[in-house]
Amino acid sequence: MTRGPSLKLFLGAATGLHLIHLELGLSVVLVFCAATAILLPRFLSGFALTASTFGVGALSVATVLLQVDWFSGVAVVTLLGCAGWLKLAEVVRRRDELLVWTIAFWMLGMAMLWLPPAAAVTMMPLGLLLGFWCLAHLMPARPKLRAILHSLAVALPAAVILFTFTPRITGDLGALSFALGIPLIIETEAEKKRDPMQDSLAMGDMAERASDPDLRVLSATFYDGSGNFFDGVPPLGDLYWRGPVLWSFADGKWSGRKGWGNRTARMRGKITHKTLDRELSEKGLISVYDVKIFPHRGYWLYALDFPAAVPASSFITKDYQLQNLNPVRELLGYPMMSYLDYRAGLKLDAETRAMALQFPEGENPRTLDLGRQMRERHQDPVAVAKAGMAHFDQGFLYDRSFGGVNVADPVDFFLFSRRTGYAGHFATAYALMMRAAGIPSRLVAGYRGGIHLGLTNRVFVMEEHSHAWTEIWLEDYGWVRMDPATRFTSQERQGEVDGWGLAGDLQSPGETNQTDAAETAPSFETGDVEAMRSADRLECRHSEKPWWQSWIVEFDAGQQLDLLDTVALSGNWWSLVSSGVGLASGLTLIWWVTVRVRSWLAERRRPFEERCESALCRKLAKSNRIRQKGEGLYAYWLTCAANSAPPPDLADLVHELRAALFAGKPLSRDWLERLHRRI
């Protein structure tokens, strides 16, 4: 069969869109396969052509897999394009052309995932127009424009329903299995070799941990509640997964509490559940959830601040670390309850105060002077704490690619020279500024946020969510979380969160709510956590974006939740799928009724004789073959009678019909109605 230029044009356009983003080596492979498909058929045919295309295909597969991972998106696209071009070289039947057209159509759709939003919205209609024009040229009889538009009108509702009601579930196969309620957990080799969090932490360690975005830390399933219990998944910006608490800082590195180097020492520092309850002077809503933590060979059981319960075979320390009795060497699940808003530790003993005020002697002198100047200028500890946070508004940048530095005074270098860093840099600098100002402080390492699986109550926490924050001790407030990293804007971040952590309600004596805007204005979160998009973006995702970008290009689980809310349905993906199936079934029923009514009306407009003849043929076709085009009614009757004996009354009517036709007499209306009733 002749290969028309339309198919080459469509496949070439789909391939060209991918050449924009593919690496040079992969682009060369695609261009080579396209050139092979165009040139080889001019010189070879038959077995020689098949063998040549097979050899080129094997070489292309080997070249692609040597450059990229087997199951990566670019590998799939490149191999699919190679398959389309090589199949085009040996097209024989129309089904081969339709297969190539299908491959080109899939490549066009996948190209939309890599193109910028504006380009994707512009290229999609043009690509669809080119694709259907190509398909029209592949049909035996070219359909008219009316027929093409009719097909598009039938397909458009199905496409809209699939686009709107297909669950937007973020994550890999493991995340999808969790969303379906079938946990599929396979620990990768990289996860088995990961380094656990330690009782020591350098300023750049968090950035290094966040550089492994595919390593899973834990999954959490939140439960619905009422009254004193939080309902569902809290805002992702409020999820602080507490890990090691670090007290001493020297030579650019934090370390844990002295004397807690082994389990026996840590057990001596544990507190009971009653003591834990007394530590809390104020309690907010309780979040109830289950945790499945991946092996990390450390003792920490990550839980949200502040733990309201202690799982079996674990204990909680004086600085609120939740630790297991043994290292976590296999997948471990435990139920948890946590207070998301609280005040804890109003009393501070002398030993703890001394540790929380320790400043490395002879190190970071400029940071020491800065903290003392803040204390002299503001006097009140609350005002000092806010001034320390406001200091980071003065030209600092947040960059998780910036790790540690090998300098004598790393905090001075960060605050006065580099002014760029990750969570560990900002938390360390703030803690030392507060210590220099006479405010007890400590550093907490862990994770913040997570990947919220759309339309479920499940959250995945990955290594890219590694985070560090500061806790300061204030009279009448106790230990207060201060997270300076939340004061920065990032292109990855879409939602606004409170830049003060738990300190959003701190007020100095006599201070009103109308404080300095530079110190109290809410800020945007940093760009390390991709997954904080899902919940926090709900408040501002439409603020400064065109409608087509918010509702088409970036259509996500948030918009789907809004759609469910408008019809008073629960926000889970089963409700979403049920709504889509129900809407599709309703539209299908309307379409079927419309087709039946139109067919009935068209049948009523036909002459009565033709209707009787059609009814007779339909009845005969149920037990015999279908009447052939151009075959006479009586000849068709004789064929059917030879195959199976017709009913006697029907045979009498047909013989009467034959006699009347041979005699040339017109058939009366009464006779035709009697024939129709018999049929």
Side-chain angles (χ1 to χ4, degrees):
M1 180 173 295
T2 304
R3 295 172 293 279
S6 60
L7 189 57
K8 295 179 182 178
L9 179 62
F10 184 39
L11 184 58
T15 303
L17 292 176
H18 287 285
L19 296 179
I20 300 174
H21 69 87
L22 289 177
E23 298 176 0
L24 179 61
L26 301 180
S27 300
V28 169
V29 172
L30 269 178
V31 172
F32 178 70
C33 289
T36 300
I38 295 173
L39 298 177
L40 270 186
R42 299 182 180 182
F43 305 101
L44 301 175
S45 62
F47 177 77
L49 178 61
T50 302
S52 300
T53 54
F54 181 81
V56 172
L59 179 62
S60 301
V61 170
T63 305
V64 170
L65 298 185
L66 286 175
Q67 298 184 57
V68 294
D69 294 335
W70 287 36
F71 299 105
S72 62
V74 291
V76 173
V77 167
T78 307
L79 294 178
L80 196 61
C82 293
W85 281 109
L86 295 179
K87 185 62 181 176
L88 185 64
E90 53 172 6
V91 167
V92 177
R93 302 178 180 85
R94 181 172 293 108
R95 69 181 183 185
D96 298 334
E97 291 182 327
L98 292 177
L99 176 61
V100 175
W101 182 88
T102 303
I103 292 176
F105 200 85
W106 274 101
M107 291 187 66
L108 175 67
M110 296 173 71
M112 300 301 111
L113 302 177
W114 276 283
L115 290 176
V121 173
T122 304
M123 296 301 300
M124 179 60 76
L126 297 177
L128 290 175
L129 184 62
L130 178 61
F132 282 105
W133 173 76
C134 174
L135 184 62
H137 281 73
L138 297 181
M139 294 294 100
R142 294 186 181 180
K144 298 180 180 179
L145 179 62
R146 180 179 178 182
I148 295 177
L149 295 178
H150 180 267
S151 301
L152 287 175
V154 172
L156 186 60
V160 171
I161 290 174
L162 288 174
F163 176 81
T164 305
F165 293 96
T166 300
R168 282 351 191 233
I169 298 177
T170 308
D172 54 11
L173 181 60
L176 178 60
S177 67
F178 265 89
L180 296 174
I182 311 171
L184 177 62
I185 299 178
I186 301 175
E187 189 180 7
T188 64
E189 289 298 325
E191 289 171 340
K192 293 179 181 178
K193 297 177 181 178
R194 85 171 86 196
D195 294 327
M197 280 195 178
Q198 304 286 349
D199 282 327
S200 61
L201 182 74
M203 292 179 63
D205 285 354
M206 282 294 141
E208 295 178 4
R209 298 190 70 88
S211 63
D212 294 326
D214 297 330
L215 297 184
R216 296 167 294 181
V217 177
L218 62 88
S219 68
T221 303
F222 292 84
Y223 294 100
D224 298 333
S226 59
N228 294 329
F229 294 91
F230 196 92
D231 188 18
V233 180
L236 293 179
D238 293 342
L239 302 184
Y240 282 83
W241 305 92
R242 191 180 188 89
V245 178
L246 307 171
W247 295 86
S248 300
F249 184 79
D251 299 326
K253 181 177 292 187
W254 286 93
S255 58
R257 194 163 185 149
K258 292 182 179 180
W260 282 20
N262 54 69
R263 187 178 70 179
T264 303
R266 286 193 295 270
M267 288 288 290
R268 287 197 299 266
K270 73 175 183 177
I271 57 177
T272 64
H273 190 275
K274 291 183 179 180
T275 305
L276 177 65
D277 192 62
R278 288 197 299 267
E279 286 279 318
L280 294 167
S281 57
E282 291 185 13
K283 304 175 184 178
L285 295 179
I286 299 177
S287 180
V288 182
Y289 55 101
D290 287 336
V291 178
K292 290 187 181 298
I293 187 171
F294 286 82
H296 56 75
R297 305 194 310 280
Y299 289 94
W300 290 274
L301 299 182
Y302 300 111
L304 296 177
D305 272 350
F306 182 93
V310 180
S313 302
S314 63
F315 61 95
I316 191 166
T317 64
K318 292 179 180 179
D319 48 12
Y320 317 136
Q321 300 181 59
L322 185 62
Q323 296 202 357
N324 200 38
L325 293 177
N326 299 299
V328 181
R329 302 187 184 278
E330 59 185 16
L331 185 70
L332 180 63
Y334 47 94
M336 277 303 303
M337 293 191 299
S338 296
Y339 296 105
L340 299 181
D341 297 311
Y342 59 90
R343 286 190 181 181
L346 292 182
K347 296 180 180 180
L348 189 66
D349 59 75
E351 180 186 358
T352 304
R353 179 185 291 271
M355 284 194 304
L357 289 174
Q358 173 263 339
F359 198 98
E361 184 176 356
E363 297 182 18
N364 304 294
R366 300 181 68 184
T367 303
L368 181 63
D369 292 340
L370 177 62
R372 289 173 176 174
Q373 292 171 10
M374 289 182 180
R375 186 56 182 261
E376 293 175 358
R377 184 167 58 250
H378 296 281
Q379 298 298 320
D380 180 70
V382 173
V384 173
K386 290 189 174 184
M389 293 290 285
H391 180 79
F392 295 112
D393 295 337
Q394 303 174 14
F396 283 82
L397 298 176
Y398 193 90
D399 185 3
R400 71 174 177 183
S401 64
F402 183 71
V405 290
N406 187 18
V407 295
D409 299 314
V411 181
D412 283 357
F413 178 77
F414 166 70
L415 284 175
F416 301 100
S417 298
R418 179 70 180 186
R419 305 174 73 86
T420 300
Y422 191 53
H425 301 85
F426 286 94
T428 298
Y430 184 77
L432 291 190
M433 281 193 297
M434 293 301 100
R435 290 186 175 188
I439 298 177
S441 63
R442 61 192 182 191
L443 187 133
V444 184
Y447 301 89
R448 187 184 185 208
I451 300 175
H452 182 198
L453 303 185
L455 305 172
T456 72
N457 283 349
R458 295 180 173 89
V459 172
F460 261 108
V461 178
M462 316 292 285
E463 281 293 348
E464 67 175 340
H465 303 116
S466 299
H467 201 65
W469 59 94
T470 307
E471 289 182 344
I472 62 175
W473 189 89
L474 297 172
E475 194 77 32
D476 299 328
Y477 290 96
W479 287 105
V480 181
R481 180 200 308 134
M482 303 294 283
D483 189 358
T486 59
R487 300 183 68 84
F488 297 87
T489 303
S490 169
Q491 295 177 352
E492 292 183 42
R493 175 68 172 171
Q494 303 293 333
E496 186 174 344
V497 299
D498 182 10
W500 297 104
L502 290 179
D505 58 349
L506 291 180
Q507 285 187 335
S508 302
E511 179 185 8
T512 64
N513 289 330
Q514 297 179 352
T515 53
D516 184 8
E519 296 186 3
T520 60
S523 58
F524 286 90
E525 170 62 298
T526 51
D528 60 326
V529 185
E530 170 201 354
M532 290 185 184
R533 295 176 177 180
S534 47
D536 292 325
R537 79 160 64 173
L538 299 180
E539 297 297 330
C540 61
R541 59 171 175 265
H542 310 297
S543 55
E544 298 179 356
K545 296 181 181 179
W547 66 269
W548 50 265
Q549 183 171 350
S550 296
W551 289 96
I552 297 178
V553 178
E554 296 182 357
F555 185 77
D556 62 1
Q559 284 96 329
Q560 292 179 324
L561 285 174
D562 293 343
L563 292 176
L564 292 177
D565 291 339
T566 57
V567 293
L569 291 176
S570 59
N572 58 69
W573 76 278
W574 285 109
S575 299
L576 184 72
V577 173
S578 300
S579 302
V581 171
L583 182 59
S585 301
L587 292 178
T588 302
L589 180 61
I590 293 174
W591 174 80
W592 181 82
V593 171
T594 303
V595 170
R596 297 295 296 178
V597 170
R598 290 185 59 186
S599 178
W600 181 80
L601 292 175
E603 185 72 14
R604 299 297 296 178
R605 288 193 294 266
R606 296 175 61 190
F608 193 74
E609 294 84 351
E610 294 182 8
R611 287 157 51 193
C612 290
E613 182 178 348
S614 298
L616 176 62
C617 292
R618 285 196 300 269
K619 186 168 184 177
L620 292 174
K622 290 181 179 180
S623 57
N624 294 277
R625 65 175 178 83
I626 299 176
R627 182 182 178 184
Q628 300 297 319
K629 186 177 181 180
E631 187 176 17
L633 175 62
Y634 190 68
Y636 178 55
W637 163 260
L638 292 178
T639 303
C640 294
N643 294 334
S644 61
D649 55 347
L650 193 60
D652 294 341
L653 289 174
V654 174
H655 284 297
E656 188 175 347
L657 175 62
R658 181 191 180 197
L661 292 174
F662 272 101
K665 297 178 181 181
L667 302 176
S668 65
R669 177 79 177 191
D670 294 339
W671 188 90
L672 289 173
E673 290 181 353
R674 185 159 50 93
L675 174 62
H676 194 269
R677 287 194 300 271
R678 291 284 183 87
I679 297 174

